[in-house]
Amino acid sequence: MQLSRDQLLHAYRQMRTIRAFEDRVHEEFSAGNIPGFVHLYAGEEASAVGFCMHLEDRDHIASTHRGHGHCIAKGCDVGAMMAEIFGKKEGLCGGKGGSMHIADLEKGMMGANGIVGGGPPLICGAALTAKTLGTGGVAIAFVGDGGSNQGTTLESYNLAKVWNLPAIFVIEDNGYAESTASSWSVAGSQVGRAAGFGMPGYEVDGHDFFAVHAVAREVIERARNGGGPSLVHVKFARYYGHFEGDAMTYRGKDEVPRLMAERDCIDLFRRRVTEAALLEPSELDAIDREVAELIDRATAEAKAAPMPSEADLLTDVYVSYH
Amino acid sequence: MPKKTYRQAINEALRQEMERDPRVILMGEDVAGGMGSPGEDDAWGGPLGVTKGLMPRFGRERVLDTPISESAFIGAAVGAAATGLRPVAELMFVDFFGVCFDQIFNQAAKFRYMFGGKAVTPVVIRTMYGAGFRAASQHSQCLYPIFTHIPGLKVALPSNAYEAKGLLIQAIRDDDPVIFFEHKAMYDEEAEVPDEPYAIPFGEANVTREGDDVTVIAMGRMVNFANQVADKLAKEKIGVTVVDIRTTSPLDRETILETAAETGRVVVVDESHPRCSMATDIAALVAQERFADLKAPVKMVTAPHAPVPFSPALEDLYIPSPAKIEAAVREVLAFQG
Ligand SMILES: Cc1ncc(C[n+]2csc(CCOP(=O)(O)OP(=O)(O)O)c2C)c(N)n1
């Protein structure tokens, strides 16, 4: 199916927003303005956007420690996300969560997660809710290659299959878990694992937005129509370190520059849509400028925003205190 | 004596014990790093470089990188310990114990007792704990009271580099499962550490300051805060005894009770949440055994009953600070029955 002009513009804007957001967080972290552990999604944008473009607010996703891209793709407010990462009271989680715990349940975003393998069981639950209440919703767990080896993930495959849940497992394989290569850490193959649980499994080039988008449509439609869970193995690369501050000495010499030059998902998208005369370069440039302004504004506002205060320290531990 | 960081002291203890005993092996996520990767080998040495250099020295057969599968590899360390190795497994952050706790508390902790005294499980689980890193709710917890609660586990909390080396060597030589808690905010702190191997026995508290007026009982990073307070108050002629309990299990009841009775005014400092904590444990012990010697109610300084917040503004309020300890000391001192 061809994407409409609006869809193409939307996809480009989303991917560009994620990239610009991550590049800015990288700069601000390097300047010492952002505290804590920060894991950036730059280079992986086609996955979050390719899947989330098919979703609505009734659909749920669970993310990972590398969650900013999933949040943006699922509709989280960029300004409130930035404020959260700066630890501010106006942040999406009141400054209590930070980069690793951004969530917006109204948007169906069940949270970034500090625990590798924390998400898959949760989306089995979200899928069960959708099935039980008949919402028509689906649930997607984004999982790293490293997270694919966690017992919780493998147990979730089984549960999703035996309960025939509208659940989808997206294995985002950026080649590494911290400094460990996925070619070493993953026994068998992701698609083979899916087969072992009787689930349809797909491998897709994560640099190619259109390929991701097409597979995503198929597995999401299947889940929505009662066809049960699927697994998608998305292969691509991360541009920054595992976390901010990682010197990446484990990577090949020209690995990242080469990938950025030859396989960048946003460049490839641009080339494809302009060469096919689906969109004008000037339209895309205009989006770039708008996104840059959005990120500038979000950053300036986040910096200027007030910190939470002592009165916030003990709130929201429980819903009720009796 | 040479000065070494907490990080270097731990690395040295591991190296020396691995040299001494070929049955000692290490395992964990990226404890060497670079497994299967095109770039540098030993690229990480753990996320904060604590185990760096050990893989080149001992090889991949004794320094094993693992997939992210804590249930499997922590359990494998337990199983290997029960069958003849002496593994030191790294659970990167103690917050991750939720993924693998069965292997620790139902398996490792209980073998000895359940099997009628026949099993020996000399496993060490090194793990990072504590707030102050802006690492938010799932990477900042203390949780040592949970492990202390389990019969069969030993729990050590080194308060500086000297303690870290001696307690880790003891942990590796110990025949019981030991959970070894490293405070992530202390890795760069230096202390005098002898080059030669030495073991600090478990269950023997260390009195780090002596004074006549108030007894502060602390553990881990909180010992340093308590020492700072004692040094400050000494200038005002307020005498503060500081007790570093070193291990929460076994617990040195005698030193706690003796030093509590000497001053009759006790503050317990525990970085964990207040409920079912080391603070409540020690306060109850003192109240039960030395009630007649107390001149004031035992005071607890802990983190609040809330998850650790991310925002620096909140996390700074969250942590039991030297200022809070000082206020507690002054409060028990001012108490008139
Ligand atoms: C249960 C658990 N174990 C270990 C970690 C530490 N950790 C955080 S991210 C990470 C690597 C994750 O790799 P992968 O799943 O491939 O995701 P990527 O970082 O490549 O996006 C590790 C080991 C954790 N947060 N939770």
Side-chain angles (χ1 to χ4, degrees):
Chain A
M1 188 189 81
Q2 269 291 2
L3 281 96
S4 69
R5 253 183 71 77
D6 280 353
Q7 285 174 320
L8 290 172
L9 288 167
H10 177 73
Y12 184 79
R13 183 183 296 277
Q14 291 282 72
M15 290 199 287
R16 178 60 75 199
T17 304
I18 296 170
R19 177 69 54 85
F21 188 92
E22 297 298 58
D23 287 348
R24 181 60 59 88
V25 171
H26 175 75
E27 271 173 40
E28 294 292 338
F29 187 95
S30 305
N33 297 332
I34 292 175
F37 290 126
V38 174
H39 309 79
L40 300 179
Y41 193 71
E44 309 187 14
E45 293 85 350
S47 175
V49 176
F51 276 90
C52 291
M53 268 184 74
H54 300 283
L55 302 182
E56 304 159 21
D57 287 355
R58 65 176 169 160
D59 299 316
H60 288 85
I61 66 167
S63 175
T64 68
H65 53 288
R66 200 174 302 289
H68 305 165
H70 305 130
C71 291
I72 291 173
K74 195 68 174 71
C76 294
D77 182 78
V78 168
M81 282 178 60
M82 193 64 94
E84 185 62 34
I85 290 169
F86 277 85
K88 299 304 177 75
K89 185 164 164 75
E90 277 123 70
L92 203 44
C93 305
K96 283 178 170 167
S99 166
M100 260 191 301
H101 305 294
I102 300 178
D104 189 347
L105 293 161
E106 283 172 17
K107 300 275 182 205
M109 166 59 199
M110 296 178 73
N113 209 312
I115 303 301
V116 171
L122 298 174
I123 71 109
C124 287
L128 180 65
T129 301
K131 187 175 172 183
T132 306
L133 300 182
T135 66
V138 303
I140 298 183
F142 293 97
V143 184
D145 48 272
S148 78
N149 293 324
Q150 192 64 283
T152 48
T153 304
L154 296 159
E155 290 179 27
S156 298
Y157 296 167
N158 195 58
L159 189 66
K161 181 65 190 178
V162 300
W163 281 354
N164 192 38
L165 295 174
I168 292 148
F169 304 96
V170 180
I171 307 302
E172 297 191 319
D173 182 356
N174 57 23
Y176 301 92
E178 297 183 343
S179 73
T180 299
S182 58
S183 58
W184 175 78
S185 74
V186 179
S189 69
Q190 303 294 354
V191 169
R193 289 176 177 193
F197 289 94
M199 278 192 289
Y202 305 76
E203 189 177 297
V204 61
D205 176 3
H207 303 285
D208 180 352
F209 166 82
F210 295 96
V212 175
H213 185 266
V215 171
R217 185 176 55 237
E218 185 178 334
V219 297
I220 290 168
E221 261 172 28
R222 175 181 302 117
R224 267 201 218 293
N225 297 329
S230 310
L231 180 149
V232 182
H233 179 191
V234 183
K235 298 177 80 166
F236 47 23
R238 69 167 145 79
Y239 289 168
Y240 291 116
H242 167 67
F243 47 37
E244 286 301 273
D246 171 15
M248 292 203 280
T249 58
Y250 49 88
R251 297 191 81 159
K253 245 191 173 36
D254 308 318
E255 194 181 323
V256 179
R258 192 167 32 79
L259 284 161
M260 288 171 103
E262 295 169 11
R263 302 294 300 147
D264 182 70
C265 60
I266 299 178
D267 287 349
L268 293 179
F269 180 98
R270 241 187 116 99
R271 217 176 303 154
R272 176 108 167 245
V273 295
T274 51
E275 279 170 10
L278 298 168
L279 297 175
E280 291 297 319
S282 60
E283 295 178 284
L284 299 173
D285 293 342
I287 289 177
D288 289 354
R289 282 193 301 276
E290 286 164 26
V291 167
E293 277 164 30
L294 171 73
I295 300 298
D296 281 346
R297 196 167 353 108
T299 310
E301 285 175 6
K303 285 183 170 177
M307 282 285 183
S309 65
E310 186 150 18
D312 301 307
L313 183 61
L314 300 182
T315 56
D316 292 325
V317 180
Y318 300 95
V319 175
S320 79
Y321 289 77
H322 50 263
Chain B
M1 213 188 293
K3 286 210 156 198
K4 289 167 197 160
T5 63
Y6 196 73
R7 174 188 287 105
Q8 287 166 332
I10 291 165
N11 186 285
E12 189 169 279
L14 292 169
R15 181 170 53 74
Q16 290 177 342
E17 285 305 286
M18 291 181 80
E19 280 166 357
R20 185 186 61 78
D21 184 347
R23 294 170 303 169
V24 179
I25 61 163
L26 301 190
M27 63 172 81
E29 291 153 14
D30 301 86
V31 287
M35 194 74 196
S37 307
E40 213 174 84
D41 226 7
D42 199 40
W44 268 35
L48 298 180
V50 178
T51 48
K52 199 157 174 67
L54 296 173
M55 191 280 286
R57 170 77 181 75
F58 297 103
R60 289 253 179 219
E61 294 72 31
R62 291 182 69 198
V63 181
L64 291 95
D65 279 347
T66 68
I68 307 173
S69 310
E70 284 88 359
S71 268
F73 82 77
I74 295 285
V78 170
T83 50
L85 294 179
R86 302 187 81 88
V88 181
E90 177 172 304
L91 179 60
M92 195 180 291
F93 290 77
V94 70
D95 313 65
F96 309 161
F97 90 97
V99 178
C100 57
F101 202 34
D102 179 71
Q103 294 294 327
I104 301 171
F105 91 102
N106 268 329
Q107 313 301 335
K110 294 183 172 55
F111 284 172
R112 180 83 184 162
Y113 189 83
M114 288 192 306
F115 300 161
K118 287 192 281 251
V120 179
T121 310
V123 65
V124 179
I125 299 173
R126 294 179 42 243
T127 191
M128 266 194 279
Y129 78 102
F133 237 61
R134 317 319 189 190
S137 297
Q138 295 173 344
H139 286 72
S140 305
Q141 298 168 85
C142 286
L143 302 176
Y144 45 81
I146 293 179
F147 293 83
T148 307
H149 182 74
I150 308 296
L153 298 180
K154 292 179 176 172
V155 180
L157 285 102
S159 60
N160 61 43
Y162 175 86
E163 296 285 321
K165 180 170 174 184
L167 288 170
L168 184 51
I169 288 180
Q170 175 59 36
I172 294 170
R173 295 180 186 176
D174 204 286
D175 279 337
D176 287 309
V178 179
I179 318 298
F180 188 83
F181 279 82
E182 301 169 12
H183 200 296
K184 62 177 79 70
M186 298 206 319
Y187 282 119
D188 293 323
E189 288 182 11
E190 286 190 333
E192 291 188 342
V193 178
D195 287 335
E196 54 284 353
Y198 57 95
I200 297 175
F202 285 174
E204 289 186 17
N206 185 29
V207 177
T208 61
R209 297 290 187 278
E210 286 188 85
D212 296 331
D213 300 314
V214 176
T215 301
V216 177
I217 298 163
M219 64 226 68
R221 188 181 186 210
M222 295 297 113
V223 174
N224 299 338
F225 289 5
N227 287 339
Q228 285 171 32
V229 171
D231 294 344
K232 180 174 175 199
L233 294 180
K235 293 182 193 127
E236 294 179 32
K237 301 276 181 284
I238 298 172
V240 178
T241 289
V242 177
V243 179
D244 173 0
I245 62 170
R246 283 179 165 154
T247 53
T248 60
S249 187
L251 185 67
D252 182 353
R253 296 161 53 101
E254 289 69 34
T255 303
I256 290 171
L257 294 174
E258 246 169 58
T259 54
E262 275 164 16
T263 64
R265 297 177 195 273
V266 178
V267 174
V268 191
V269 189
D270 177 357
E271 195 188 323
S272 70
H273 308 299
R275 304 286 317 281
C276 303
S277 61
M278 288 318 301
T280 54
D281 191 60
I282 292 168
L285 174 70
V286 172
Q288 185 167 291
E289 303 293 331
R290 288 293 182 276
F291 187 69
D293 295 312
L294 289 178
K295 298 173 193 150
V298 177
K299 182 94 193 148
M300 304 190 293
V301 182
T302 69
H305 186 65
V308 184
F310 163 66
S311 180
L314 296 178
E315 195 184 29
D316 288 344
L317 294 167
Y318 183 93
I319 298 170
S321 60
K324 285 180 196 159
I325 298 169
E326 182 182 332
V329 168
R330 291 186 189 279
E331 197 180 318
V332 295
L333 207 50
F335 183 85
Q336 317 250 332

